[in-house]
Amino acid sequence: MELVGSTLTATYAHPRPTPTNFLPAISTMASSYKNRFPHYSLTHSLSLPWRPSTYYKVAAITPTLAPFSKSSQGLTQSKMLPFVSNRTALFTRYTPDDWYRSNLTNYKESETSRHSAERLRVDTSRMIQDKDQQTRKTQMDTTKNLGERVNDIVFWKSELNHEIDEMIGETNALTDMKKRLERALAETEGPLQVAQECLLHREKRMGIDLVHDDVEKQLLTEVDVIRSCQERMKRHLDKAIAQLASDRAAQHELEKDLSDKQAAHRIDDKCHHLRNTSDGISYYRGVERVDATISVPESWAKFTDDNILRSQSERAASSKLRDDIENLLVVTANEMWNQFNRVNVAFTNRISETADAKNKIQTHLAKTLQEIFQTEMTIAAIRKAIRDKGPPLKVAHTRLDERTRRPNVELCRDSTQLRLVNEVHEIDDTIQNLQQRLRDAEDTLQMLVHTKSNLEHDLAVKANSLFIDQEKCMGMRKTFPNTLRLVGYT
């Protein structure tokens, strides 16, 4: 701002030239403005009422007459003229011209002093007006800058509040997703325990049924699938915990920045509404020399913008993690359900095969029992037949023995004798054949009994396997959690 007036070129700002033939001062006018401004600073006295005596000291010099000549300085008091009235005209100090010139000089000096004082008053009034305008304009500019600063703070406060609300919502959503993941992870313990108990129960199968069948393969696969799902869930749970920590750290920075913005807004808003007539204004000497600032507008805005960008980045990462967890829950639930169904299908097929084998064994066992019964009947018939051959053989032997007692020539090898001998041989052969057949029948009976024993044992094994698979294993697998529980919903 260009100041009106130029006080540096005013006449009173330069020393006046000493007039020629200047006589010693006989009044106080010449010394009244010898020191126009005080040497000390005026800052501390601006609040004092306006008094010229405060800034200008009135000279109190009593004019004295100089000695007439230097030679008179050496005269004693007795040699000097005691009274002026005793002087003669020859001893007059000034001439009338000197008197008139002195008066004219005083008049001119008075007029010059008055002109200088008038210029001083005019320039001072102009300077006061200019400085007052400059002060008001500077204060208006400062007030405007404070208003703009308050608006900037309000803008960034709204941005911070919006981002904090978004971050709180995202943190709550991720917390809920984390709880769902924890519930889903806890739900997998039940199916895992069921699968392991099924494997443990199936270890109690006996004999030939202790086979590494498709059911056992599918159960082992189910255990691996559930453990794989648990590992993935645990990894995502760790990620969720770390992401929540990052979200809370970003939220803390936003809240801290918002708290600073609120404090700055209160201070700047108070400064913006301060006026010259406001209460509480005062002097604070040297405060303008204290520079406690640690940022510039660019770094100030960048600091908040970086906090918001960091929060937005964390929110994006948190949202992506939530989507990943949601997809993981769906995928793991489908994998466990599909494997659960495959195990159940394998169990159903195995139970059907075992039941069919059991039925066939029962059929064979019934036939074997029937055959044993018939074999025993055959053995009994053979034994009866052997016993029945005893009397005919006795009769034949008795006849032959009796015929040996025929006298002399009567001992004839007639046809009867030959027939009796043949009869004995035939009966002996018949008995031998029947005994051989009896031994064969008894061997067959032993074989049938052994087969019966094997069938009964196998039937017990099949019944045990069927009980384990159908009652114990399939009974436990009826409690498998549904899909909603597997994805974390209660």
Side-chain angles (χ1 to χ4, degrees):
M1 175 180 178
E2 184 179 358
L3 302 179
V4 180
S6 178
T7 59
L8 296 179
T9 58
T11 305
Y12 61 80
H14 302 279
R16 297 192 309 273
T18 305
T20 57
N21 299 324
F22 182 75
L23 296 177
I26 59 176
S27 69
T28 62
M29 292 298 294
S31 60
S32 297
Y33 298 98
K34 192 173 293 184
N35 294 322
R36 295 178 176 82
F37 298 98
H39 179 69
Y40 51 84
S41 176
L42 300 180
T43 306
H44 67 281
S45 60
L46 292 178
S47 62
L48 299 176
W50 190 83
R51 292 184 298 164
S53 61
T54 306
Y55 304 101
Y56 304 100
K57 185 183 293 185
V58 179
I61 302 175
T62 304
T64 58
L65 296 177
F68 180 75
S69 64
K70 294 182 178 180
S71 60
S72 63
Q73 297 177 358
L75 297 176
T76 62
Q77 185 176 6
S78 61
K79 293 181 181 182
M80 295 180 62
L81 296 176
F83 300 103
V84 179
S85 61
N86 294 330
R87 296 177 182 175
T88 62
L90 296 177
F91 293 97
T92 302
R93 184 173 181 179
Y94 301 112
T95 63
D97 293 337
D98 293 334
W99 184 79
Y100 284 114
R101 283 196 300 272
S102 176
N103 289 337
L104 291 176
T105 300
N106 289 334
Y107 299 154
K108 290 181 179 179
E109 183 177 358
S110 175
E111 184 176 1
T112 301
S113 298
R114 283 186 286 107
H115 287 320
S116 298
E118 183 179 2
R119 285 194 299 272
L120 175 64
R121 285 187 295 103
V122 172
D123 291 342
T124 302
S125 177
R126 184 185 300 112
M127 183 188 70
I128 290 173
Q129 293 178 358
D130 294 342
K131 295 300 181 181
D132 185 60
Q133 292 178 0
Q134 181 183 1
T135 301
R136 285 197 299 270
K137 184 178 184 300
T138 302
Q139 191 179 67
M140 289 175 61
D141 293 341
T142 303
T143 303
K144 180 181 178 182
N145 291 337
L146 282 172
E148 293 175 353
R149 181 66 173 182
V150 169
N151 291 334
D152 292 342
I153 294 176
V154 169
F155 168 76
W156 285 113
K157 276 178 59 181
S158 64
E159 292 294 320
L160 287 171
N161 280 322
H162 175 72
E163 186 60 32
I164 288 175
D165 293 338
E166 293 292 331
M167 178 55 76
I168 291 175
E170 180 60 35
T171 302
N172 293 335
L174 184 58
T175 301
D176 294 339
M177 184 61 69
K178 172 178 167 289
K179 292 180 180 178
R180 281 184 55 193
L181 184 59
E182 289 174 347
R183 288 194 295 266
L185 181 60
E187 288 294 335
T188 59
E189 291 297 329
L192 178 61
Q193 185 176 0
V194 167
Q196 291 175 340
E197 287 186 5
C198 287
L199 289 172
L200 181 62
H201 285 311
R202 297 190 93 245
E203 290 296 324
K204 297 177 182 179
R205 292 174 297 168
M206 298 182 297
I208 193 60
D209 276 16
L210 194 62
V211 63
H212 185 60
D213 53 2
D214 186 59
V215 175
E216 188 170 354
K217 294 178 182 177
Q218 293 298 333
L219 282 172
L220 293 173
T221 304
E222 184 178 23
V223 171
D224 294 338
V225 168
I226 294 175
R227 285 177 176 171
S228 174
C229 293
Q230 287 180 340
E231 289 297 327
R232 284 179 287 172
M233 288 181 181
K234 289 178 181 178
R235 286 198 300 268
H236 280 75
L237 184 60
D238 294 337
K239 290 181 181 179
I241 294 173
Q243 186 61 50
L244 280 174
S246 299
D247 290 349
R248 292 192 179 98
Q251 180 181 343
H252 174 72
E253 292 297 327
L254 291 175
E255 290 174 347
K256 181 180 177 183
D257 195 4
L258 179 61
S259 176
D260 294 342
K261 291 285 187 297
Q262 290 173 344
H265 180 263
R266 288 194 299 270
I267 293 172
D268 285 349
D269 187 64
K270 176 182 177 182
C271 294
H272 180 250
H273 289 90
L274 282 178
R275 298 294 182 266
N276 295 334
T277 57
S278 300
D279 296 333
I281 59 176
S282 179
Y283 291 108
Y284 298 92
R285 299 190 182 279
V287 70
E288 71 279 359
R289 294 190 296 272
V290 177
D291 187 6
T293 59
I294 61 174
S295 64
V296 296
E298 291 77 11
S299 62
W300 174 78
K302 186 177 182 299
F303 177 78
T304 303
D305 189 55
D306 290 342
N307 286 335
I308 294 176
L309 290 177
R310 177 192 174 188
S311 175
Q312 291 175 347
S313 175
E314 295 297 340
R315 281 198 298 112
S318 177
S319 177
K320 183 177 182 302
L321 181 59
R322 284 193 297 110
D323 294 338
D324 293 342
I325 293 175
E326 183 70 33
N327 294 332
L328 174 67
L329 291 177
V330 174
V331 170
T332 53
N334 291 333
E335 289 180 358
M336 287 188 288
W337 259 108
N338 292 335
Q339 185 59 34
F340 172 76
N341 292 329
R342 282 193 289 268
V343 172
N344 288 347
V345 170
F347 262 114
T348 303
N349 295 333
R350 186 61 179 175
I351 290 171
S352 177
E353 292 175 357
T354 305
D356 184 62
K358 179 184 174 184
N359 293 331
K360 290 181 178 179
I361 290 173
Q362 288 176 342
T363 302
H364 284 280
L365 180 60
K367 291 180 180 181
T368 302
L369 291 174
Q370 181 65 30
E371 190 64 31
I372 289 173
F373 175 74
Q374 292 178 358
T375 303
E376 288 177 347
M377 294 297 292
T378 302
I379 291 173
I382 293 172
R383 286 176 179 175
K384 182 177 180 300
I386 292 173
R387 287 195 306 270
D388 291 341
K389 295 299 182 288
L393 182 60
K394 289 178 181 180
V395 171
H397 281 179
T398 302
R399 286 175 177 177
L400 286 175
D401 182 68
E402 288 294 333
R403 289 188 63 131
T404 60
R405 295 186 181 93
R406 289 178 301 168
N408 300 319
V409 77
E410 292 299 324
L411 290 172
C412 180
R413 185 179 294 274
D414 52 5
S415 59
T416 302
Q417 184 69 27
L418 294 175
R419 184 58 185 165
L420 285 173
V421 172
N422 289 334
E423 183 182 4
V424 171
H425 287 303
E426 286 178 4
I427 293 173
D428 286 336
D429 291 339
T430 300
I431 292 174
Q432 291 296 327
N433 291 333
L434 288 175
Q435 288 178 348
Q436 181 63 39
R437 187 60 57 90
L438 178 61
R439 287 192 295 270
D440 292 340
E442 289 176 348
D443 292 339
T444 302
L445 181 61
Q446 292 297 325
M447 182 182 65
L448 289 173
V449 170
H450 181 70
T451 302
K452 170 180 168 291
S453 177
N454 290 337
L455 289 175
E456 288 176 346
H457 176 73
D458 200 10
L459 184 62
V461 169
K462 294 296 185 291
N464 178 67
S465 300
L466 194 62
F467 175 75
I468 290 174
D469 290 345
Q470 189 171 17
E471 299 298 330
K472 288 189 175 181
C473 294
M474 291 303 291
M476 289 188 301
R477 298 184 69 81
K478 293 179 181 178
T479 61
F480 195 84
N482 56 24
T483 305
L484 291 178
R485 295 176 63 183
L486 287 178
V487 296
Y489 293 109
T490 56

